[in-house]
Short mmCIF file of all heavy atoms in Angstrom, two decimals:
data_model
loop_
_atom_site.label_atom_id
_atom_site.label_comp_id
_atom_site.label_asym_id
_atom_site.label_seq_id
_atom_site.Cartn_x
_atom_site.Cartn_y
_atom_site.Cartn_z
N MET H 723 0.85 -1.20 0.00
CA MET H 723 -0.01 0.00 0.00
C MET H 723 0.88 1.24 0.00
O MET H 723 1.88 1.31 0.74
CB MET H 723 -0.93 0.01 1.22
CG MET H 723 -1.87 1.20 1.29
SD MET H 723 -2.93 1.16 2.75
CE MET H 723 -3.92 -0.31 2.39
N PHE H 728 4.23 13.49 3.10
CA PHE H 728 3.95 14.86 3.51
C PHE H 728 5.17 15.76 3.40
O PHE H 728 5.10 16.95 3.71
CB PHE H 728 3.44 14.89 4.95
CG PHE H 728 2.12 14.18 5.13
CD1 PHE H 728 2.08 12.88 5.63
CD2 PHE H 728 0.93 14.78 4.77
CE1 PHE H 728 0.88 12.22 5.80
CE2 PHE H 728 -0.27 14.12 4.93
CZ PHE H 728 -0.31 12.84 5.42
N GLY H 731 10.18 14.54 5.87
CA GLY H 731 11.45 13.85 6.03
C GLY H 731 11.56 13.13 7.35
O GLY H 731 10.63 12.45 7.80
N MET H 741 2.18 12.63 18.40
CA MET H 741 0.73 12.58 18.27
C MET H 741 0.17 11.31 18.87
O MET H 741 -0.86 11.32 19.56
CB MET H 741 0.33 12.69 16.80
CG MET H 741 -1.17 12.82 16.59
SD MET H 741 -1.65 12.75 14.86
CE MET H 741 -1.42 10.99 14.54
N LEU H 752 -9.28 14.91 29.32
CA LEU H 752 -10.63 15.23 28.87
C LEU H 752 -11.68 14.62 29.78
O LEU H 752 -12.72 15.23 30.05
CB LEU H 752 -10.82 14.73 27.44
CG LEU H 752 -12.19 15.00 26.80
CD1 LEU H 752 -12.42 16.50 26.62
CD2 LEU H 752 -12.30 14.29 25.46
N LEU H 756 -10.91 17.62 37.02
CA LEU H 756 -10.16 18.86 37.22
C LEU H 756 -9.74 19.51 35.92
O LEU H 756 -9.76 20.74 35.78
CB LEU H 756 -8.92 18.58 38.08
CG LEU H 756 -9.19 18.16 39.53
CD1 LEU H 756 -7.88 17.83 40.22
CD2 LEU H 756 -9.92 19.25 40.27
N ALA H 761 -14.81 24.97 32.07
CA ALA H 761 -14.07 26.22 32.24
C ALA H 761 -12.67 26.14 31.65
O ALA H 761 -12.03 27.19 31.44
CB ALA H 761 -14.00 26.61 33.72
N VAL H 764 -10.51 24.01 25.43
CA VAL H 764 -10.10 22.78 24.72
C VAL H 764 -8.67 22.92 24.21
O VAL H 764 -7.90 21.94 24.21
CB VAL H 764 -11.08 22.50 23.56
CG1 VAL H 764 -10.66 21.24 22.81
CG2 VAL H 764 -12.50 22.36 24.08
N LEU H 766 -6.22 24.46 25.61
CA LEU H 766 -5.29 24.23 26.70
C LEU H 766 -5.15 22.75 27.00
O LEU H 766 -4.03 22.26 27.25
CB LEU H 766 -5.75 24.99 27.96
CG LEU H 766 -4.89 24.84 29.22
CD1 LEU H 766 -3.47 25.31 28.95
CD2 LEU H 766 -5.50 25.61 30.38
N LEU H 770 -1.70 20.61 26.75
CA LEU H 770 -1.17 19.80 27.85
C LEU H 770 -0.94 18.35 27.41
O LEU H 770 0.03 17.71 27.81
CB LEU H 770 -2.13 19.85 29.04
CG LEU H 770 -2.20 21.17 29.82
CD1 LEU H 770 -3.27 21.09 30.89
CD2 LEU H 770 -0.86 21.51 30.42
N GLY H 775 2.95 14.25 25.88
CA GLY H 775 3.47 13.34 24.86
C GLY H 775 4.95 13.55 24.62
O GLY H 775 5.71 12.57 24.47
N ASN H 780 10.56 11.41 25.65
CA ASN H 780 11.95 11.59 26.04
C ASN H 780 12.34 10.79 27.27
O ASN H 780 13.54 10.56 27.49
CB ASN H 780 12.23 13.08 26.32
CG ASN H 780 12.27 13.90 25.04
OD1 ASN H 780 13.27 13.96 24.36
ND2 ASN H 780 11.15 14.53 24.70
N TRP H 781 11.36 10.37 28.09
CA TRP H 781 11.69 9.73 29.36
C TRP H 781 11.21 8.30 29.49
O TRP H 781 11.62 7.61 30.43
CB TRP H 781 11.12 10.56 30.52
CG TRP H 781 11.79 11.86 30.69
CD1 TRP H 781 11.43 13.06 30.17
CD2 TRP H 781 12.98 12.13 31.43
NE1 TRP H 781 12.29 14.06 30.53
CE2 TRP H 781 13.29 13.50 31.31
CE3 TRP H 781 13.84 11.34 32.19
CZ2 TRP H 781 14.38 14.09 31.91
CZ3 TRP H 781 14.94 11.92 32.80
CH2 TRP H 781 15.19 13.30 32.65
N ALA H 803 -7.03 5.95 23.26
CA ALA H 803 -8.11 6.81 23.73
C ALA H 803 -8.93 6.12 24.81
O ALA H 803 -9.32 6.76 25.81
CB ALA H 803 -9.00 7.21 22.55
N GLN H 814 -13.71 10.91 37.65
CA GLN H 814 -15.03 11.49 37.44
C GLN H 814 -16.07 10.83 38.35
O GLN H 814 -16.95 11.51 38.91
CB GLN H 814 -15.44 11.34 35.97
CG GLN H 814 -16.58 12.22 35.54
CD GLN H 814 -16.22 13.68 35.49
OE1 GLN H 814 -16.66 14.46 36.35
NE2 GLN H 814 -15.40 14.06 34.53
N PHE H 817 -15.63 12.10 41.94
CA PHE H 817 -16.12 13.45 42.14
C PHE H 817 -17.65 13.51 42.06
O PHE H 817 -18.25 14.53 42.45
CB PHE H 817 -15.51 14.39 41.11
CG PHE H 817 -14.20 14.99 41.53
CD1 PHE H 817 -13.07 14.21 41.61
CD2 PHE H 817 -14.11 16.33 41.87
CE1 PHE H 817 -11.85 14.75 42.01
CE2 PHE H 817 -12.90 16.89 42.27
CZ PHE H 817 -11.76 16.09 42.34
N ILE H 822 -23.99 13.16 44.72
CA ILE H 822 -25.10 12.29 45.08
C ILE H 822 -25.50 12.51 46.54
O ILE H 822 -26.70 12.60 46.87
CB ILE H 822 -24.71 10.81 44.85
CG1 ILE H 822 -24.40 10.58 43.36
CG2 ILE H 822 -25.80 9.87 45.32
CD1 ILE H 822 -23.87 9.19 43.07
N GLY H 851 -24.39 20.79 46.81
CA GLY H 851 -23.56 20.01 45.90
C GLY H 851 -22.33 20.78 45.45
O GLY H 851 -21.23 20.21 45.35
N THR H 861 -9.57 19.27 48.81
CA THR H 861 -8.94 18.14 49.52
C THR H 861 -8.10 17.32 48.58
O THR H 861 -7.00 16.88 48.94
CB THR H 861 -10.03 17.29 50.17
OG1 THR H 861 -10.86 18.10 51.00
CG2 THR H 861 -9.41 16.18 51.01
N VAL H 865 -4.01 16.94 49.35
CA VAL H 865 -3.29 15.69 49.67
C VAL H 865 -2.35 15.27 48.54
O VAL H 865 -1.66 14.24 48.66
CB VAL H 865 -4.29 14.55 49.95
CG1 VAL H 865 -5.17 14.89 51.13
CG2 VAL H 865 -5.14 14.24 48.72
N MET H 870 -0.15 12.36 42.15
CA MET H 870 -0.12 10.89 42.04
C MET H 870 -0.82 10.43 40.77
O MET H 870 -0.39 9.46 40.14
CB MET H 870 -0.79 10.28 43.27
CG MET H 870 -0.15 10.63 44.59
SD MET H 870 -1.05 9.92 45.98
CE MET H 870 -0.24 10.76 47.35
N GLY H 885 0.44 0.96 21.57
CA GLY H 885 0.35 0.15 20.38
C GLY H 885 0.49 -1.34 20.62
O GLY H 885 0.45 -2.11 19.67
N PHE H 900 -15.37 0.09 41.81
CA PHE H 900 -15.07 1.42 42.35
C PHE H 900 -16.34 2.29 42.38
O PHE H 900 -16.49 3.12 43.28
CB PHE H 900 -13.99 2.11 41.53
CG PHE H 900 -13.66 3.49 42.02
CD1 PHE H 900 -12.90 3.67 43.17
CD2 PHE H 900 -14.14 4.61 41.36
CE1 PHE H 900 -12.63 4.94 43.65
CE2 PHE H 900 -13.86 5.88 41.81
CZ PHE H 900 -13.10 6.05 42.97
N ALA H 910 -22.26 7.32 53.19
CA ALA H 910 -21.61 7.64 54.46
C ALA H 910 -21.52 9.14 54.68
O ALA H 910 -21.62 9.62 55.81
CB ALA H 910 -20.22 7.02 54.49
N ALA H 912 -23.69 11.44 53.47
CA ALA H 912 -25.01 12.03 53.67
C ALA H 912 -25.72 11.51 54.91
O ALA H 912 -26.62 12.18 55.43
CB ALA H 912 -25.88 11.77 52.44
N VAL H 925 -39.88 15.64 64.94
CA VAL H 925 -40.30 16.59 65.98
C VAL H 925 -41.33 17.57 65.42
O VAL H 925 -42.33 17.89 66.08
CB VAL H 925 -39.07 17.33 66.53
CG1 VAL H 925 -39.50 18.46 67.46
CG2 VAL H 925 -38.15 16.36 67.27
N ALA H 962 -13.94 16.25 55.87
CA ALA H 962 -12.59 16.39 55.34
C ALA H 962 -11.88 15.04 55.31
O ALA H 962 -11.21 14.70 54.34
CB ALA H 962 -11.81 17.41 56.17
N ALA H 966 -10.76 12.91 51.96
CA ALA H 966 -9.37 12.45 51.78
C ALA H 966 -9.33 10.96 51.49
O ALA H 966 -8.56 10.49 50.63
CB ALA H 966 -8.55 12.77 53.03
#
Side-chain angles (χ1 to χ4, degrees):
M723 181 180 295
F728 296 100
M741 187 187 74
L752 180 66
L756 293 176
V764 179
L766 179 58
L770 289 175
N780 288 277
W781 291 94
Q814 197 69 252
F817 272 71
I822 298 174
T861 305
V865 299
M870 300 178 190
F900 179 75
V925 172

